[in-house]
């Protein structure tokens, strides 16, 4: 595997109720727990919102790549909406993320959109991450 790009982010101050940011300072966010999860619903964002934002952006890029391979150009106004839910895992040990993606491509019929979605899903690294087993290197700093 050839690594093309690497970034680094650190969370501190209570995890879901703290602060997180990237090493280069381009992302710096306060975190708060949604009321639905027992938190105060404060002004901060949460990991699910950050994941949804990243997944939507990444998948739109993959959709553009899939369209190019088919010699198609996506029109202005093309969007991907990622819905991300936090859920209890059935094993009772932890939690999971339940994602859903919806594409709006003006001027394309439903069959064309569904075909491009399948092709983009095969391209997108977020989709790859959540659909296939991956090793995660864990280490004590």
């Amino acid at each position: 595997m050839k690594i093309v790009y690497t970034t680094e982010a650190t969370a501190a101050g209570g995890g879901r109720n703290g602060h997180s940011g990237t090493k280069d300072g381009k992302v710096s966010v306060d975190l708060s727990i949604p009321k639905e999860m027992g938190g105060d619903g404060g002004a901060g964002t949460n990991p699910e919102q950050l994941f949804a934002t990243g997944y939507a952006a990444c998948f739109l890029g993959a959709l553009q790549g899939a369209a190019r391979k088919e010699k198609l150009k996506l029109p202005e106004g093309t969007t991907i909406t990622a819905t991300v839910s936090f859920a209890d895992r059935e094993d009772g040990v932890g939690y999971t993320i339940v994602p859903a993606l919806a594409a709006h491509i003006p001027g394309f019929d439903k069959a064309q959109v569904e075909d491009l979605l399948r092709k983009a899903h095969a391209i997108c690294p977020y989709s790859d991450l959540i659909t296939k087993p991956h090793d995660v290197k864990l280490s004590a700093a």
Side-chain angles (χ1 to χ4, degrees), residues 3 12-13 16 21 35 37 54-55 73 77 80 82-83 88 93 95 97 99 104-105 107 123 133:
I3 303 294
R16 289 181 162 273
K35 287 183 180 181
M37 295 172 67
Y55 198 4
K73 183 172 177 10
I80 292 292
T83 302
D88 291 322
V93 174
Y95 307 95
I97 296 297
H104 172 69
I105 308 176
I123 294 169

Side-chain angles (χ1 to χ4, degrees), residues 17 32-42:
N17 220 11
S32 60
I33 301 171
K35 287 183 180 181
E36 298 87 344
M37 295 172 67
D40 66 1

Side-chain angles (χ1 to χ4, degrees):
M1 173 184 331
K2 177 185 170 194
I3 303 294
V4 177
Y5 170 76
T6 300
T7 190
E8 183 178 310
T10 300
R16 289 181 162 273
N17 220 11
H19 185 85
S20 188
T22 55
K23 187 175 184 178
D24 64 9
K26 290 183 178 183
V27 176
S28 179
V29 294
D30 290 325
L31 303 167
S32 60
I33 301 171
K35 287 183 180 181
E36 298 87 344
M37 295 172 67
D40 66 1
T45 189
N46 61 65
E48 291 70 37
Q49 290 174 325
L50 296 170
F51 186 87
T53 300
Y55 198 4
C58 188
F59 200 88
L60 182 55
L63 188 68
Q64 290 167 335
R68 273 192 306 274
K69 286 183 179 187
E70 298 297 313
K71 308 273 192 267
L72 297 170
K73 183 172 177 10
L74 296 180
E76 291 267 335
T78 296
T79 61
I80 292 292
T81 300
T83 302
V84 172
S85 300
F86 178 92
D88 291 322
R89 278 196 332 232
E90 292 180 1
D91 63 9
V93 174
Y95 307 95
T96 193
I97 296 297
V98 181
L101 299 169
H104 172 69
I105 308 176
F108 282 50
D109 66 37
K110 184 178 179 181
Q112 286 178 298
V113 174
E114 289 172 345
D115 182 56
L116 282 175
L117 282 170
R118 281 189 295 278
K119 290 172 179 169
H121 192 55
I123 294 169
C124 180
Y126 275 68
S127 291
D128 184 70
L129 180 66
I130 63 173
T131 59
K132 297 177 187 168
H134 284 77
D135 291 327
V136 176
K137 181 181 176 186
L138 303 173
S139 62

